[in-house]
Amino acid sequence: MTTAQRRRARVRAPELVGRGWLNTGDRDLALKDLRGKVVLLDFWTFCCINCLHVLDELRPLEAEFADVLVTIGVHSPKFVHEADADALKAAVERYAVHHPVLDDPELTTWQNYAVKAWPTLAVVDPEGYVVHVAAGEGHLDALRQVITELVEEHDAKGTLHRGDGPYVPPAPTGTELRFPAKALVTPNGTLLVADSAHHSLVELAADGETVLRRIGTGERGRRDGAEPTFSEPAGLALLPPDVAGRVGYHVVVADTVNHLLRGLDLDTGRVTTVAGTGEQWRAGVTGGAATGVPLTSPWDVAWWEPAGGVVVALAGNHTLGLFRPLEQRFERFAGTTVEGLGDGPYAEAFFAQTSGLAADGERLWLVDSETSALRYLEDGEVRTVVGRGLFDFGHRDGPADQALLQHPLGVTVLPDGGIAVSDTYNGAIRRYDPVTDEVSTLATDIAEPSDALYVDGELVVVASAAHRLERPVAPGTKVLGEAHRVRRPPTVLAPGDLELTVVFTPPAGSKLDDRYGPSTRLEITSSPPELLVSGAGVGTDLTRSLRIAEGFAEGVLHVVAQAASCTDDPSVEHPVCKLTRQDWGVPIRVDAAGPHRLPLLMGGLDEDVHNAT
């Protein structure tokens, strides 16, 4: 989009309204305080893996334009726990957010900017106008071009102010562990912990407190060897002894932000990269030589004998992968990349940011954090025990079909056959009994439990936000609790015919890349499936005619769009090509007075999308 196009499309930026600010030295900011700067608004929520990807994508951009760009994180929560001010403060530290953050618990600023998806990025020029909006990941090059053009334009006009921005770093804190993620018991009876925010692994004595050694320098990186580096490691899986003896390492580590699997030799402390390229998967290859397959945010790993390898929870694209250490191969194991709650054959099931795995003989248990669900794999099928969908959660015990969780990150098989769920955003350990099909609460008041393990007859919990391992008293309290729904306002649509359009403008100097076939892809499903009479499925056009069934008051449209673009310069021998992708789960309310058109903005600026501003 050229400067002239942006000038015609400019929309005055609404004020930034919320409960308070972080990373500003207790100072409240207003748009007038940011005049003269290019402002990048990042609408995010800390449960969302795509939002976490964008935080990492923006780091080089923030460094490159440090004297002219101010990034503002607008935190608009999905879950009840995310609306807690202390939880947000912890998340800002956990994910190393080094820019001001507006706490927007009532989604006021979200609604004022007509946002429909996490994450969404909006660029405000130095005079206070919205000039570019993009949803999803993969917009770094487009943002760089827009910002470069704005800097040149406003430098020439004298409306650009260079210098430091309003970011004030918080006071540093120090604990032995910092936001630990997962843990396991080693063959020697010690505890190995993924010390996520310290970018390392820590071996503790069986007491869970005494540090025996630290593996990793503590710096963010991806170096192998005797002095390795990691980037927010999480899941840990112990290999069977015969497999470990043949491959030369004992533990597979989910090195989450590096998009890698690493192998750890417990005897020497040496680390090797065993799967992944270090690049985030966007599309294309899903199987082959393990170090040649891109991964996306591996969050947990588990050796599962029926699969003959390590199952990998790829939270970043809502699938499960399978790593075969002996063959050094990696493949797609289950899932379609559509985010949702859908049972059935492995290849057709929908997952939603799977974050915990636990093998139990012929059954592999898992928790999907975004659907607050407990599920399992067995005999080629995926089945759900607890969970209703992307927008329903809570803390409720009782029959499994009535029980509710809130963004669980861990699952553990107990010695008595029960299943312990680290119910992270409820601060609780829950128990599912496969015999009675009932859910109960084992322990509460735990600061964001992310994993649990059984040690010497006791349950040891990774209390991530308390930065330690805990042995909670287990009272077995039954909690009826409340059911919650995401407070995100639904989109009102009329029943009957509906035109859905995904708006995407290639970055300046680029064009849609159709050298190898269609450059765009659009996949649409709905919850419930009966909501759509027609129009569901996969196609290559970003505009689709749908038909909403009569008799439904509400539902969810699941939309996955992607577009490939390349440098538009025939003289360039090797053009730079990018794939932009976004998933929307659009809650809708069906009303005869609603519109028959739904525009969704993936990149660019569209007046119809932003008419709410």
Side-chain angles (χ1 to χ4, degrees):
M1 181 177 285
T2 65
T3 302
Q5 288 172 318
R6 276 207 312 273
R7 188 175 292 116
R8 288 195 297 272
R10 292 196 313 175
V11 177
R12 174 65 71 178
E15 190 52 82
L16 303 175
V17 180
R19 179 170 58 188
W21 289 83
L22 297 171
N23 288 350
T24 62
D26 296 324
R27 174 191 175 196
D28 289 343
L29 299 180
L31 281 176
K32 64 181 178 61
D33 302 321
L34 305 174
R35 290 289 165 81
K37 298 287 190 181
V38 179
V39 178
L40 176 59
L41 301 178
D42 175 18
F43 290 86
W44 71 299
T45 186
F46 64 78
C47 72
C48 165
I49 189 65
N50 309 96
C51 299
L52 303 186
H53 291 165
V54 167
L55 287 176
D56 290 317
E57 287 181 356
L58 294 182
R59 297 185 202 281
L61 197 73
E62 293 174 282
E64 181 179 352
F65 295 98
D67 64 334
V68 293
L69 175 68
V70 174
T71 301
I72 302 290
V74 181
H75 187 266
S76 306
K78 171 182 176 179
F79 290 98
V80 169
H81 176 69
E82 293 177 295
D84 180 84
D86 290 335
L88 174 58
K89 182 179 179 181
V92 168
E93 180 194 348
R94 180 195 295 263
Y95 298 116
V97 180
H98 293 162
H99 52 245
V101 174
L102 172 65
D103 184 2
D104 181 29
E106 300 299 325
L107 277 69
T108 304
T109 298
W110 163 289
Q111 293 182 69
N112 289 344
Y113 278 81
V115 175
K116 291 187 181 298
W118 295 282
T120 291
L121 299 162
V123 180
V124 179
D125 74 10
E127 294 178 304
Y129 289 91
V130 178
V131 295
H132 183 84
V133 177
E137 306 174 41
H139 296 288
L140 181 61
D141 289 343
L143 290 170
R144 179 177 285 113
Q145 291 170 1
V146 169
I147 294 169
T148 298
E149 194 173 310
L150 287 172
V151 169
E152 292 174 354
E153 175 186 350
H154 288 274
D155 213 6
K157 291 172 62 177
T159 50
L160 183 74
H161 299 163
R162 297 182 181 272
D164 293 337
Y167 169 65
V168 178
T173 55
T175 51
E176 194 67 61
L177 301 177
R178 205 71 191 164
F179 298 105
K182 305 286 184 180
L184 60 73
V185 181
T186 73
N188 294 326
T190 60
L191 306 182
L192 184 68
V193 182
D195 192 7
S196 181
H198 284 154
H199 312 297
S200 60
L201 310 178
V202 177
E203 187 175 8
L204 304 176
D207 62 8
E209 297 180 2
T210 305
V211 176
L212 302 178
R213 62 171 167 169
R214 182 173 290 275
I215 300 165
T217 66
E219 300 172 352
R220 191 188 291 266
R222 50 172 294 189
R223 184 172 62 241
D224 287 342
E227 296 184 355
T229 53
F230 302 88
S231 188
E232 297 179 31
L236 305 167
L238 194 65
L239 295 178
D242 61 323
V243 175
R246 294 172 63 183
V247 299
Y249 53 90
H250 306 89
V251 178
V252 174
V253 181
D255 194 4
T256 305
V257 177
N258 277 328
H259 310 296
L260 296 173
L261 299 184
R262 317 288 290 280
L264 167 65
D265 184 329
L266 286 171
D267 297 331
T268 65
R270 294 188 67 85
V271 170
T272 55
T273 296
V274 298
T277 64
E279 296 296 321
Q280 183 186 343
W281 181 90
R282 299 286 188 190
V285 61
T286 59
T291 53
V293 178
L295 311 181
T296 176
S297 296
W299 204 280
D300 203 5
V301 283
W303 176 269
W304 192 33
E305 194 63 40
V310 176
V311 178
V312 184
L314 294 169
N317 67 357
H318 318 296
T319 66
L320 303 180
L322 180 63
F323 169 54
R324 301 182 187 273
L326 294 175
E327 295 85 1
Q328 299 179 45
R329 307 284 294 178
F330 191 94
E331 64 195 55
R332 172 78 54 80
F333 187 59
T336 67
T337 76
V338 173
E339 183 181 22
L341 186 67
D343 290 348
Y346 291 173
E348 300 173 13
F350 293 173
F351 299 94
Q353 207 168 303
T354 305
S355 301
L357 300 169
D360 183 20
E362 296 299 311
R363 184 172 288 186
L364 180 71
W365 291 94
L366 63 90
V367 284
D368 272 352
S369 58
E370 283 298 287
T371 50
S372 300
L374 172 64
R375 312 172 75 188
Y376 66 87
L377 278 64
E378 188 175 36
D379 297 331
E381 295 279 328
V382 180
R383 297 179 177 88
T384 298
V385 172
V386 178
R388 301 182 184 179
L390 285 166
F391 303 101
D392 293 278
F393 58 93
H395 188 167
R396 176 177 288 170
D397 288 341
D401 62 353
Q402 300 297 315
L404 294 170
L405 309 168
Q406 186 181 180
H407 197 79
L409 293 181
V411 60
T412 306
V413 178
L414 300 174
D416 65 0
I419 305 300
V421 176
S422 295
D423 193 6
T424 308
Y425 286 3
N426 279 325
I429 300 296
R430 314 287 292 283
R431 182 182 186 274
Y432 169 67
D433 188 330
V435 176
T436 64
D437 198 34
E438 293 265 336
V439 174
S440 58
T441 297
L442 291 180
T444 57
D445 299 322
I446 304 169
E448 295 191 5
S450 58
D451 197 14
L453 58 163
Y454 225 71
V455 182
D456 297 330
E458 288 186 289
L459 193 67
V460 176
V461 177
V462 179
S464 187
H467 318 295
R468 62 177 180 257
L469 306 188
E470 295 181 353
R471 287 172 165 81
V473 176
T477 304
K478 188 167 186 176
V479 179
L480 294 179
E482 291 185 315
H484 299 286
R485 297 207 80 204
V486 174
R487 291 176 297 167
R488 175 179 164 190
T491 297
V492 179
L493 296 173
D497 294 332
L498 171 71
E499 182 183 78
L500 185 147
T501 302
V502 174
V503 179
F504 176 74
T505 303
S510 299
K511 65 177 181 178
L512 289 172
D513 179 18
D514 56 5
R515 293 173 299 164
Y516 308 108
S519 58
T520 57
R521 182 181 187 274
L522 180 63
E523 181 172 356
I524 299 176
T525 57
S526 66
S527 297
E530 298 78 16
L531 179 67
L532 287 180
V533 176
S534 62
V538 180
T540 58
D541 196 331
L542 292 183
T543 297
R544 180 83 59 85
S545 294
L546 309 177
R547 186 167 184 81
I548 297 178
E550 301 283 349
F552 285 91
E554 59 183 21
V556 179
L557 294 179
H558 304 282
V559 181
V560 181
Q562 62 185 43
S565 58
C566 280
T567 305
D568 186 16
D569 186 346
S571 65
V572 177
E573 182 178 359
H574 300 291
V576 176
C577 298
K578 297 291 182 182
L579 183 72
T580 303
R581 176 188 170 95
Q582 171 62 3
D583 299 6
W584 288 270
V586 183
I588 68 168
R589 180 166 59 85
V590 183
D591 189 303
H596 291 271
R597 179 172 182 255
L598 175 60
L600 298 173
L601 183 59
M602 188 163 67
L605 195 64
D606 184 273
E607 297 279 355
D608 291 335
V609 176
H610 292 280
N611 57 17
T613 62

